[in-house]
Amino acid sequence: ITHYSMGEIFRNAEKSKSILGKTISKYINNGKVVPINIAIKTISKAIVDAPTRIVVIDGYPRSVEQMIEFDKYLLTNENVELIKVVEIEVADNIAKGRILKRARYDDVNGAKFNNRMNVYTEPLKEIQNFYQAKNILSKLNGNKSFDICVTELSYVIIKSSFTAEKPNI
């Protein structure tokens, strides 16, 4: 299984100080969603370059627009199949504690944390409904320990990928 974290991919781009990295940095530092064209380009490259057949993309999509564009990408790429979307549900106070644990300078600011949570929760219902209608949405309790969450997530991913015939995410 290859694991890609959108946040990590974006943070690495920021560190590169490239034009793309500086653009991404502006959005992240203001607690906003990275533009769709940049996110899709990043994900597409990650999927194509993946060393394994099974790819997990963590933290995407974060908006309805990203979901729609990602779905378009999947519809036009017959070599990739989306077999499971897993939502890891975490209580706000636990999420905040985890973010503060890996704190970047701007994560400590309460207003920015609240904005990030709003950016995440605002489109969540529509995203859930979209993937539920495709019968590929699973939810896991993320309030448990990290090890238990990873074990449960691995089980869901591996179980789902046994039925897939193409490289899948």
Side-chain angles (χ1 to χ4, degrees):
I1 297 174
T2 301
H3 172 259
Y4 294 119
S5 162
M6 287 308 297
E8 183 179 343
I9 290 171
F10 291 149
R11 285 188 291 277
N12 287 339
E14 278 185 289
K15 288 177 192 170
S16 76
K17 304 292 184 195
S18 66
I19 293 171
L20 177 63
K22 289 176 184 176
T23 301
I24 289 171
S25 185
K26 279 192 252 179
Y27 288 91
I28 291 175
N29 288 335
N30 289 306
K32 301 203 178 206
V33 175
V34 172
I36 294 169
N37 61 329
I38 294 170
I40 292 294
K41 185 187 294 185
T42 304
I43 290 170
S44 302
K45 182 163 178 26
I47 292 169
V48 169
D49 294 345
T52 64
R53 223 178 117 249
I54 301 170
V55 179
V56 174
I57 300 173
D58 176 358
Y60 194 83
R62 295 260 173 115
S63 72
V64 172
E65 294 80 12
Q66 287 178 351
M67 176 191 70
I68 291 167
E69 289 304 311
F70 190 54
D71 196 55
K72 286 179 189 175
Y73 163 76
L74 292 169
L75 290 172
T76 60
N77 190 327
E78 62 186 41
N79 296 320
V80 179
E81 178 181 12
L82 179 62
I83 58 167
K84 186 62 68 177
V85 172
V86 181
E87 178 186 350
I88 301 176
E89 299 175 307
V90 180
D92 286 354
N93 63 325
I94 293 174
K96 188 171 186 174
R98 289 177 181 169
I99 288 172
L100 292 176
K101 200 176 200 178
R102 66 153 213 254
R104 294 166 26 126
Y105 65 93
D106 59 345
D107 286 331
V108 179
N109 179 322
K112 288 201 177 177
F113 170 80
N114 291 335
N115 186 53
R116 285 174 192 233
M117 288 303 290
N118 288 337
V119 165
Y120 172 74
T121 58
E122 187 177 308
L124 190 56
K125 196 64 177 165
E126 192 170 343
I127 292 170
Q128 290 169 333
N129 291 341
F130 182 82
Y131 290 120
Q132 209 159 21
K134 291 178 174 274
N135 201 29
I136 58 173
L137 178 65
S138 290
K139 294 184 181 188
L140 294 178
N141 179 348
N143 295 323
K144 299 175 182 177
S145 75
F146 179 78
D147 290 340
I148 291 173
C149 289
V150 169
T151 300
E152 290 179 0
L153 179 61
S154 298
Y155 175 76
V156 168
I157 293 167
I158 290 169
K159 181 180 174 192
S160 299
S161 48
F162 282 124
T163 61
E165 295 178 17
K166 309 174 204 174
N168 51 71
I169 52 176

